[in-house]
Amino acid sequence: CRGIVRLYAKVRRNKRSVLRRMGVRRFALEAGASARVQVPIRRQWRRKLARGRRLTVVARVRYESLAGGRIGVERQYRPRLRRTGG
């Protein structure tokens, strides 16, 4: 299958939630395979995460199956910045 992963930050604007795009990545996989897709995050969102700000991230995945049908999935996450030693 092939598709696209979009990450959005859920932020509050005027007492309602608004989605702001954080990053996008396309992918293509063999039938029956699974893999991690690394999505590049925009610099402003990396900085907000590095400052310890908690964000709600919405991941939207749209893909096309081998049968030709288009499928969409949406999940919400509260990520933590993974710190690497250096």
Side-chain angles (χ1 to χ4, degrees):
C1 77
R2 61 191 175 110
I4 188 166
V5 178
R6 291 184 177 100
L7 295 182
Y8 298 92
K10 195 178 207 182
V11 296
R12 301 284 291 184
R13 290 285 181 252
N14 298 325
K15 298 183 182 180
R16 49 178 247 208
S17 294
V18 177
L19 297 179
R20 300 287 184 214
R21 193 170 72 195
M22 294 177 68
V24 178
R25 173 63 53 103
R26 292 185 182 275
F27 66 90
L29 299 173
E30 295 290 327
S34 64
R36 287 187 180 194
V37 178
Q38 289 188 345
V39 179
I41 305 295
R42 290 181 176 185
R43 183 182 300 160
Q44 69 184 29
W45 297 109
R46 284 197 313 263
R47 287 180 180 166
K48 287 181 182 181
L49 280 172
R51 282 188 232 134
R53 181 165 176 201
R54 289 174 50 116
L55 293 174
T56 299
V57 176
V58 177
R60 288 185 176 166
V61 180
R62 290 187 58 92
Y63 62 94
E64 189 173 322
S65 67
L66 291 175
R70 291 189 177 156
I71 301 167
V73 180
E74 182 175 305
R75 298 275 191 271
Q76 289 190 14
Y77 300 96
R78 301 284 309 234
R80 293 184 184 175
L81 184 65
R82 189 184 317 173
R83 305 214 183 260
T84 57

